[in-house]
């Protein structure tokens, strides 16, 4: 089959948001598209799929106005026989329609939800989570982010089953998965991948997976060598004033990750820990426990000494970020106890203590989503100027930024509005702000979120440098393959919900 080639221009008024001269998708193959967050992967994919809002944007594809392209027979076919799983599930789920009805809405109602699909996406046949969600209306915090993600994947599998049952010999549909593992732990990510590739092996289809999860490469090469040749690994990047796509060498990641394991280094723990958080706590009417083993049989306090990096693991939605926000005083726990850099804290501690003694003094946090921490209306210089207790001039700030941006930063960057930066750029600014605060404890919640491969390597190098300086570091991340290699196994803790 001929390749699908697209020349795309997307403008907002007179401002060019994205322009690419050759965005190619090969039919009946799986394209893994990498690249920095915010660079345009999702927008280009939505453009191809006919999903962009022409009231807000002016779009042209292959020389045609978007209205003509979106109404073409090609777009009608890929929409009617394919499926688009959005990065943010809430933008897909209808808040006034029960989830069970949405799973059977329209053409989806003609397909079946196979028992194998339910088992792989919902962990086991005896897990009643999927059944219990059928009669509820989607809300901001229910289902959880991971459950919403799996609901969309379930819809996609139902649509795929329709294709598998059809008599089509050439697939004209397009299945797009935008960050499908963003809210999933590695186990669920691997189950989804296994399910997808089983169906692809049974009857090939055209698939685009947009992801920052480079560890998916390792999973593919470990378990699916027989179909590696059916994958295209590509990376979207900025080429002056336009976007371009280049091949991504899987071997570059595989060789790098094998080397990361050999570079582990620890500073011997001395003296009192910087953080000691009690192994049991209660928040949002749930009892939680911290363990030293993945079987949850060895309860232990979470302890981090100066110069140590600790990795906290748990399934999506269990409460890793919640624990971090309790430490930072952003969530009030019903019951907990901790000692942070000599300061004893519990649920009875006044909020003023966090404000005056902890936040920006004893502890700092890199948020999973940089937009939570940054003033989007400020310029780059002023998001640093406002940090408590430090003074920084422009020359020093540029030098620090060049560490993270590999000398690609000049004085003009300080004047850029944060709102217009890419997700990866904002995440690196988020990290640097916490580094400059020089707190005893540094909490990194998904520090690799939105980064391309080169930025991931640079960020890990800087985290290691901070460790060598004596910083105590707590890492929360779904990037298990990377952090299992980066951090010593005896520095890994597990979080789980407890039965009351």
């Amino acid at each position: 089959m001929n390749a699908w080639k697209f020349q795309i221009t997307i403008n907002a008024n007179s401002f060019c948001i994205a322009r690419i001269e050759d965005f190619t998708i090969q039919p009946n193959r799986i394209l893994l598209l990498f690249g920095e967050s915010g660079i345009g992967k999702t927008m280009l994919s939505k453009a191809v799929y006919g999903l962009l809002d022409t009231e807000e944007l002016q779009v042209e594809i292959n020389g045609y106005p978007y209205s003509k392209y979106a109404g073409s027979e090609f777009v009608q076919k890929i929409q009617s026989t394919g499926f688009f799983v959005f990065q943010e599930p809430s933008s897909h789920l209808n808040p006034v329609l029960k989830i069970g009805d949405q799973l059977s809405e329209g053409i989806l109602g003609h397909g079946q939800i196979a028992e194998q699909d339910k088992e792989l996406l919902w962990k086991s046949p005896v897990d009643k989570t999927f059944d219990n969600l059928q009669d509820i209306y989607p809300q901001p915090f229910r289902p959880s982010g991971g459950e919403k993600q799996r609901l969309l994947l379930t819809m996609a599998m139902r649509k795929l089953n329709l294709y598998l049952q059809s008599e089509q010999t050439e697939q004209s549909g397009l299945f797009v998965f935008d960050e499908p593992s963003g809210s999933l732990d590695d186990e669920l990510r691997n189950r989804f991948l296994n399910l997808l590739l089983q169906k692809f092996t049974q009857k090939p289809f055209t698939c685009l997976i947009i992801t920052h999860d480079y560890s998916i490469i390792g999973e593919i090469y470990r378990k699916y060598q027989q179909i590696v040749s059916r994958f295209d690994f590509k990376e979207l990047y900025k080429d002056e004033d336009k976007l371009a796509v280049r091949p991504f060498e899987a071997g570059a990641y595989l060789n790098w990750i094998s080397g990361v394991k050999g570079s582990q280094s620890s500073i011997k723990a001395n003296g009192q820990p910087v953080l000691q958080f009690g192994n049991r706590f209660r928040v949002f009417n749930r009892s939680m426990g911290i363990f030293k083993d993945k079987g949850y049989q060895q309860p232990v306090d979470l302890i981090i000494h100066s110069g140590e990096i600790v990795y906290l693991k748990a399934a999506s939605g269990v409460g890793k970020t919640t624990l971090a926000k309790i430490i930072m005083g952003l969530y009030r726990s019903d019951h907990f106890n901790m000692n942070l850099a000599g300061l004893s804290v519990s649920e009875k501690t006044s909020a003023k203590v966090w404000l005056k003694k902890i936040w920006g003094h004893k502890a700092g946090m890199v948020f999973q989503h940089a937009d939570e921490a940054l003033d989007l209306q400020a310029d780059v210089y002023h998001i640093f100027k406002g940090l408590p207790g430090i003074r920084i001039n422009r020359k020093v700030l540029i030098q620090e930024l060049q560490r993270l941006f590999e000398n690609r930063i000049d004085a003009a960057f300080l004047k850029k509005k944060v709102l217009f930066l890419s997700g990866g750029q904002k995440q690196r600014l988020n990290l640097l702000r916490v580094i400059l605060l020089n707190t005893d404890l540094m909490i990194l919640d998904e520090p690799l979120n939105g980064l391309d491969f080169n930025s991931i390597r640079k960020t890990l190098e800087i985290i290691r440098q901070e460790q060598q300086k004596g910083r105590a570091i707590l890492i929360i991340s779904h990037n298990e393959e990377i952090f299992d290699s980066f951090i010593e196994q005896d520095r890994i803790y597990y979080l789980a919900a407890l039965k009351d």
Side-chain angles (χ1 to χ4, degrees), residues 11 20 24-25 43 45 54 87 102 106 173 177 181 190 198 209 216 232 256 284 298 366 405 418 440 474:
N11 294 326
I20 188 167
T24 298
I25 299 173
M43 184 165 286
S45 302
T54 54
Q87 178 178 0
Q102 295 185 56
F177 297 89
S181 61
N190 294 343
Q198 280 184 21
I209 300 175
I216 201 171
D232 296 315
W256 171 76
F284 302 141
Q298 304 173 38
V366 171
F405 288 85
V418 175
D440 300 280
L474 173 61

Side-chain angles (χ1 to χ4, degrees), residues 329-369:
L330 297 174
Y331 285 164
R332 296 294 291 181
S333 174
D334 303 324
H335 172 72
F336 83 108
N337 63 82
M338 75 171 180
N339 189 288
L340 177 59
L343 180 67
S344 293
V345 183
S346 73
E347 72 278 2
K348 298 178 182 178
T349 302
S350 167
K352 293 180 180 179
V353 173
W354 272 280
L355 183 62
K356 294 183 177 181
K357 296 184 179 182
I358 294 179
W359 187 275
H361 302 283
K362 293 182 181 293
M365 179 173 174
V366 171
F367 290 82
Q368 177 178 357
H369 303 292

Side-chain angles (χ1 to χ4, degrees), residues 429-446:
L429 297 180
N430 195 13
L431 174 62
L432 184 56
R433 276 164 45 96
V434 173
I435 288 174
L436 293 177
L437 285 171
N438 198 30
T439 54
D440 300 280
L441 174 68
M442 187 164 67
I443 301 175
L444 309 181
D445 189 1
E446 299 292 354

Side-chain angles (χ1 to χ4, degrees), residues 127-143:
D127 185 348
K128 298 298 182 182
T129 303
F130 179 76
D131 295 331
N132 293 338
L133 292 174
Q134 303 299 298
D135 290 327
I136 72 168
Y137 296 91
Q139 302 170 37
F141 302 104
R142 188 182 185 219

Side-chain angles (χ1 to χ4, degrees), residues 168-221:
Q168 289 176 290
T169 56
E170 289 188 355
Q171 168 65 351
S172 58
L174 173 61
F175 289 83
V176 180
F177 297 89
D178 191 357
E179 298 291 355
S181 61
S183 298
L184 306 182
D185 56 43
D186 272 15
E187 180 187 353
L188 278 171
R189 188 276 313 277
N190 294 343
R191 289 178 178 219
F192 154 69
L193 189 62
N194 178 265
L195 190 58
L196 183 73
L197 297 184
Q198 280 184 21
K199 297 181 189 300
F200 181 82
T201 303
Q202 183 179 343
K203 188 176 181 179
F205 48 88
T206 308
C207 182
L208 168 59
I209 300 175
I210 301 168
T211 184
H212 295 106
D213 184 3
Y214 289 88
S215 65
I216 201 171
I217 297 173
E219 182 69 7
I220 290 169
Y221 271 79

